[in-house]
Amino acid sequence: MSCLSVLLKSDAGANGPRGGAQVNIGACGREWSEWAFDAATGEIYSSLLAGSSPGGGDMCLTTGWPFLQAGAFDTSATGDNSKTVVVLNEAGNSANFVLRDKGKVLMSGSIPPHSIQTIALD
């Protein structure tokens, strides 16, 4: 079983100058894989850095901060496609991307500026 995990490279993450931390798929049962869902706000968050992050508090789950972002999800439990990828381009220019699974190219594409694409994979 795999879970969403906070990745803190070089002990930076939310304590680093840019804030935030990468989230990836990792082992379950560890403190960096514990998430909570706030039904009132619709936010998913971790308290992993509550005592050490600037100002304390919780860290919300996002797909990152670069202009081109991607998040992948296993949606097989819904009976739909087995994987869904959401690509977001915040930049003012189109961006090319390649989706790979264990080194195998699944598809390549381009996303227009200031847009979001949802890709359903079987």
Side-chain angles (χ1 to χ4, degrees):
M1 178 191 254
S2 297
C3 295
L4 289 176
S5 298
V6 177
L7 298 178
L8 300 175
K9 294 185 179 183
S10 304
D11 295 323
N15 294 322
R18 297 181 65 192
Q22 291 180 311
V23 176
N24 205 338
I25 300 296
C28 299
R30 303 293 294 253
E31 61 184 356
W32 50 78
S33 294
E34 295 176 7
W35 296 91
F37 174 69
D38 184 335
T41 63
E43 294 178 335
I44 298 172
Y45 65 93
S46 170
S47 296
L48 176 64
L49 301 173
S52 60
S53 62
D58 298 315
M59 172 178 50
C60 290
L61 172 63
T62 67
T63 58
W65 190 249
F67 289 112
L68 183 64
Q69 304 176 37
F73 307 92
D74 179 353
T75 55
S76 58
T78 65
D80 294 331
N81 297 300
S82 61
K83 296 179 180 108
T84 301
V85 178
V86 178
V87 182
L88 168 67
N89 183 6
E90 294 182 74
N93 299 315
S94 295
N96 297 327
F97 63 90
V98 176
L99 295 180
R100 291 186 175 94
D101 183 15
K102 297 178 183 172
K104 178 183 172 189
V105 174
L106 301 178
M107 69 168 288
S108 61
S110 181
I111 181 171
H114 307 291
S115 62
I116 299 172
Q117 289 182 358
T118 301
I119 302 162
L121 302 169
D122 288 325

